[in-house]
Amino acid sequence: METRTEISSLGEFGLIKRINSGIKTTLPDTIRGIGDDAAVIDTGEEYGLLSSDLLLEGVHFDLTFFPLKHLGYKAISVNVSDIAAMNGIPRQVTVNLALSNRFSLEAIDELYEGMKVACADFNVDLVGGDTSSSRSGLLISVSVFGKVNKDKITYRNTAKPNDLLCVTGDLGGAYLGLQLLEREKQVFLANPEMQPELEGKDYVIQRQLRPEARMDVVYELAEAGVLPTSMIDVSDGLASDLLHICAQSGVGAVVFEERIPIDEQTYLAASELNIGPITAAMNGGEDYELLFTVPQASYDLIKNNPKISFIGYITANKEEIVLHTKGDSRVPITAQGWS
Amino acid sequence: METRTEISSLGEFGLIKRINSGIKTTLPDTIRGIGDDAAVIDTGEEYGLLSSDLLLEGVHFDLTFFPLKHLGYKAISVNVSDIAAMNGIPRQVTVNLALSNRFSLEAIDELYEGMKVACADFNVDLVGGDTSSSRSGLLISVSVFGKVNKDKITYRNTAKPNDLLCVTGDLGGAYLGLQLLEREKQVFLANPEMQPELEGKDYVIQRQLRPEARMDVVYELAEAGVLPTSMIDVSDGLASDLLHICAQSGVGAVVFEERIPIDEQTYLAASELNIGPITAAMNGGEDYELLFTVPQASYDLIKNNPKISFIGYITANKEEIVLHTKGDSRVPITAQGWS
């Protein structure tokens, strides 16, 4: 009998860790392989950045409530976000698409319309890809190529003790937007005559359906003369992404609960759904904000930027990655993945 | 009522044409977008090449007879082939994987084992990707980054009248290998006690399961001092890929049936399966050989390379793309796609 080990016995992070542990890079122009938001390639004058993400119907999106135009936008935006996290400029994307004959030509046009809007917003070119039939719904695999000045690249593994921990925008909204959409779907399935109750919830819904990669902040940091010591995008939730920075940098961190930026609509949705807003921020994911560290000397240069919140600091104690709660206790930060 | 146009009304090539027609590139460093084997990016000293391909279970492969190790190899090899077709050197690949819990850890290890062998064979680094759960089987999306000297790049749209038309290796084998595997599967399903009859068919089976990108010929052409005037890889069949070169270059072509390289095992399989060997070569696809054109002056430099066959020539008459048969008649060459 052959041995059979279930994937579920490892979980998402265990599986990825196992796959990655067996992979080594050998080429001199491969500056960084697996383990950051994008791979880093020496192209001569600059570094090239390469990243790729998958969006699957039934896993990453539900077309019952996900407009195809937004989906197209999101597919590009989440890839651009990986380039932003390296402090890079996205340039070209390729799009692989597989679709069943359930989709009409008009539906495909909608999807591409959203991708084109994102390409225009982020100033990237759609340069290629593969289109195929699918036996089960829609599948989008986007790859992005970007570039960055060799002196300006930001990795995950270079945070330093005493650096300030910063995050852009606000957190938790995308997750709560998804929960609201899921709830309305269930209501609609139970009673198709019901109208969705999404009034006053436009912001959190938009956070889920149409996230915007924070290229604006990448440019603003450069203008302010601030180079982060480390950076990652918040795709899996603040907890998981902070743990990546800490583990790879060999440092600890303290996050102040009261400093975590959360929008008013996110608080309302959290209350309505009976979900802790901090839990949504820490473990919800899909916010596509930037989490980064800066030396304390940079504080004055960006303290007035309303898009940036200072949420804590980096410590030398890599065993201690904690949330400092409003009640002045310290709770270890842990991550969750799919199983 | 909203208009609904079925994808099937356009067919594969119509759909791709429609998608591509709406896409424009705007960046100065995007040298070539959609329409060739890879996108071309100006990275300064050299051109970067970016391409991406999708492999879906139930569409592109059948795991009943496709060993996962070979599948991993093929996923890398077909992407490397796109870089070869631009006369480039592949450097880095990213792999996006989605899989259902039907797959064990041991199965995933097999798949990666094949990818690693291919990476070693073609001297490329696996630098990233995304792993996700899937509701329906296995899905592999690979992207490849390569590079090429700016003076050595080969496009599809630069074939010139009187150029010689060349192809590497032999054609039709991959398609007939697939037909044999499909047949044995049916036999097995009808009677599980039957052993597969694949003796003496190892070559065509291997052509299907483990195609090798022709990087060897890319290097040999460079050593011989020959720069093709145009090049494409034979992924859809000689007919379709020749039509791409002709349409994009605005030229015609004459292909001599008797010059089309076909292996002895391909002839035997064709006879056994009652499929025309020329039909398999023209429309079968998945051979991943290189189809290219060279000036007549290059003939002496490569005429003794046993990997290269001279199968015809390019003409100025773009209306006439024909197969010159053994019986001295001339038949128009047409392409087929999925519907």
Side-chain angles (χ1 to χ4, degrees), chain A residues 5 7 18 22 26-27 29-30 33 52 54 91-92 96 105-106 109 116 125 127 130 136 139 141 143, chain B residues 5 7 18 22 26-27 29-30 33 52 54 91-92 96 103 105-106 109 116 125 127 130 136 139 141 143:
Chain A
T5 312
I7 296 172
R18 182 189 165 111
T26 61
L27 302 177
D29 49 329
T30 302
S52 195
L54 205 53
R91 302 300 286 175
Q92 287 87 13
N96 288 347
L105 217 48
E106 289 76 16
D109 285 345
K116 281 182 212 167
D125 279 343
V127 297
D130 198 9
S136 58
L139 178 168
S141 180
S143 289
Chain B
T5 312
I7 296 172
R18 181 188 166 114
T26 60
L27 302 177
D29 49 331
T30 302
S52 196
L54 205 54
R91 301 301 284 175
Q92 286 87 13
N96 288 347
F103 293 91
L105 216 49
E106 289 75 17
D109 285 346
K116 283 181 211 169
D125 279 343
V127 296
D130 198 8
S136 58
L139 177 169
S141 180
S143 289

Side-chain angles (χ1 to χ4, degrees), chain A residues 290-310:
Chain A
L290 293 172
L291 176 68
F292 60 97
T293 55
V294 295
Q296 291 188 25
S298 297
Y299 177 73
D300 281 341
L301 301 172
I302 49 174
K303 67 180 179 191
N304 293 325
N305 188 325
K307 297 174 184 172
I308 297 172
S309 297
F310 296 86

Side-chain angles (χ1 to χ4, degrees), chain A residues 217-266:
Chain A
V217 175
V218 170
Y219 291 119
E220 287 169 25
L221 287 173
E223 274 165 33
V226 171
L227 180 63
T229 49
S230 71
M231 189 144 67
I232 190 172
D233 74 331
V234 183
S235 53
D236 294 330
L238 177 58
S240 174
D241 294 311
L242 174 61
L243 289 175
H244 282 308
I245 283 185
C246 289
Q248 292 192 28
S249 300
V251 298
V254 177
V255 174
F256 295 99
E257 182 183 0
E258 65 181 2
R259 296 292 193 92
I260 296 173
I262 294 176
D263 187 81
E264 201 52 44
Q265 274 201 13
T266 304

Side-chain angles (χ1 to χ4, degrees), chain B residues 80 83-84 88-90 122 212-220 290:
Chain B
V80 167
I83 301 300
I89 309 295
F122 298 116
E212 291 207 33
R214 297 312 301 254
M215 284 306 302
D216 56 339
V217 175
V218 170
Y219 293 118
E220 287 170 24
L290 294 171

Side-chain angles (χ1 to χ4, degrees), chain A residues 2-7 9-10 12 15-16 18-19 22-35 38-46 50-60 90-106 108-109 112 116 123-136 139 141-145 147 338-339, chain B residues 2-7 9-10 12 15-16 18-19 22-35 38-46 50-60 90-106 108-109 112 116 123-136 139 141-145 147 338-339:
Chain A
E2 283 178 43
T3 309
R4 181 184 164 95
T5 312
E6 299 299 329
I7 296 172
S9 67
L10 284 182
E12 178 192 5
L15 174 63
I16 292 172
R18 182 189 165 111
I19 290 173
I23 294 168
K24 309 267 173 289
T25 64
T26 61
L27 302 177
D29 49 329
T30 302
I31 304 301
R32 191 70 58 111
I34 290 169
V40 183
I41 299 164
D42 192 345
T43 56
E45 296 163 18
E46 296 177 301
L50 182 63
S51 184
S52 195
D53 272 304
L54 205 53
L55 288 174
L56 294 174
E57 185 177 354
V59 177
H60 300 99
R91 302 300 286 175
Q92 287 87 13
V93 292
T94 62
V95 176
N96 288 347
L97 204 68
L99 36 94
S100 64
N101 54 18
R102 175 161 68 86
F103 294 90
S104 67
L105 217 48
E106 289 76 16
I108 299 169
D109 285 345
Y112 272 92
K116 281 182 212 167
N123 198 28
V124 302
D125 279 343
L126 202 172
V127 297
D130 198 9
T131 304
S132 162
S133 60
S134 147
R135 289 199 172 177
S136 58
L139 178 168
S141 180
V142 177
S143 289
V144 58
F145 184 76
K147 59 183 188 177
W338 48 260
S339 58
Chain B
E2 284 179 41
T3 308
R4 181 185 163 93
T5 312
E6 300 299 330
I7 296 172
S9 67
L10 283 182
E12 178 191 7
L15 175 63
I16 292 172
R18 181 188 166 114
I19 291 173
I23 293 168
K24 308 266 175 290
T25 64
T26 60
L27 302 177
D29 49 331
T30 302
I31 303 301
R32 190 71 58 110
I34 290 169
V40 182
I41 299 165
D42 191 345
T43 57
E45 296 163 17
E46 295 176 302
L50 183 63
S51 184
S52 196
D53 271 304
L54 205 54
L55 287 174
L56 294 173
E57 185 178 353
V59 178
H60 300 100
R91 301 301 284 175
Q92 286 87 13
V93 291
T94 63
V95 176
N96 288 347
L97 205 67
L99 37 95
S100 64
N101 53 18
R102 174 161 68 85
F103 293 91
S104 67
L105 216 49
E106 289 75 17
I108 299 168
D109 285 346
Y112 272 92
K116 283 181 211 169
N123 199 28
V124 302
D125 279 343
L126 203 171
V127 296
D130 198 8
T131 305
S132 162
S133 61
S134 147
R135 289 198 171 177
S136 58
L139 177 169
S141 180
V142 176
S143 289
V144 59
F145 184 76
K147 59 183 188 177
W338 48 261
S339 59

Side-chain angles (χ1 to χ4, degrees), chain A residues 17-284:
Chain A
K17 197 170 172 185
R18 182 189 165 111
I19 290 173
N20 296 352
S21 68
I23 294 168
K24 309 267 173 289
T25 64
T26 61
L27 302 177
D29 49 329
T30 302
I31 304 301
R32 191 70 58 111
I34 290 169
D36 218 305
D37 289 86
V40 183
I41 299 164
D42 192 345
T43 56
E45 296 163 18
E46 296 177 301
Y47 283 150
L49 301 166
L50 182 63
S51 184
S52 195
D53 272 304
L54 205 53
L55 288 174
L56 294 174
E57 185 177 354
V59 177
H60 300 99
F61 59 86
D62 181 338
L63 289 178
T64 324
F65 52 72
F66 219 123
L68 283 164
K69 189 170 174 181
H70 286 345
L71 183 64
Y73 190 95
K74 184 170 182 172
I76 301 299
S77 190
V78 303
N79 275 277
V80 167
S81 183
D82 282 324
I83 300 300
M86 308 299 293
N87 208 30
I89 310 294
R91 302 300 286 175
Q92 287 87 13
V93 292
T94 62
V95 176
N96 288 347
L97 204 68
L99 36 94
S100 64
N101 54 18
R102 175 161 68 86
F103 294 90
S104 67
L105 217 48
E106 289 76 16
I108 299 169
D109 285 345
E110 277 289 296
L111 184 70
Y112 272 92
E113 201 45 52
M115 291 197 272
K116 281 182 212 167
V117 172
C119 284
D121 277 7
F122 298 115
N123 198 28
V124 302
D125 279 343
L126 202 172
V127 297
D130 198 9
T131 304
S132 162
S133 60
S134 147
R135 289 199 172 177
S136 58
L138 180 61
L139 178 168
I140 310 170
S141 180
V142 177
S143 289
V144 58
F145 184 76
K147 59 183 188 177
V148 59
N149 186 300
K150 287 183 179 180
D151 299 328
K152 297 290 155 76
I153 192 164
T154 54
Y155 293 109
R156 294 178 177 178
N157 69 342
T158 41
K160 299 280 176 296
N162 302 316
D163 281 350
L164 301 174
L165 187 63
C166 309
V167 72
T168 61
D170 56 83
L171 301 176
Y175 176 75
L176 289 165
L178 178 61
Q179 303 311 311
L180 286 173
L181 289 163
E182 297 273 12
R183 188 189 65 177
E184 292 309 310
K185 179 187 171 184
Q186 296 308 324
V187 169
F188 177 83
L189 289 175
N191 181 355
E193 311 245 312
M194 292 283 283
Q195 289 299 305
E197 285 186 31
L198 295 172
E199 213 184 287
K201 302 184 168 74
D202 51 314
Y203 179 70
V204 288
I205 301 293
Q206 182 203 308
R207 294 289 288 169
Q208 169 59 220
L209 298 181
R210 200 178 179 280
E212 290 207 33
R214 296 314 301 254
M215 284 307 302
D216 55 340
V217 175
V218 170
Y219 291 119
E220 287 169 25
L221 287 173
E223 274 165 33
V226 171
L227 180 63
T229 49
S230 71
M231 189 144 67
I232 190 172
D233 74 331
V234 183
S235 53
D236 294 330
L238 177 58
S240 174
D241 294 311
L242 174 61
L243 289 175
H244 282 308
I245 283 185
C246 289
Q248 292 192 28
S249 300
V251 298
V254 177
V255 174
F256 295 99
E257 182 183 0
E258 65 181 2
R259 296 292 193 92
I260 296 173
I262 294 176
D263 187 81
E264 201 52 44
Q265 274 201 13
T266 304
Y267 276 119
L268 286 169
S271 165
E272 198 175 314
L273 293 161
N274 209 15
I275 294 172
I278 294 294
T279 303
M282 295 299 277
N283 298 310

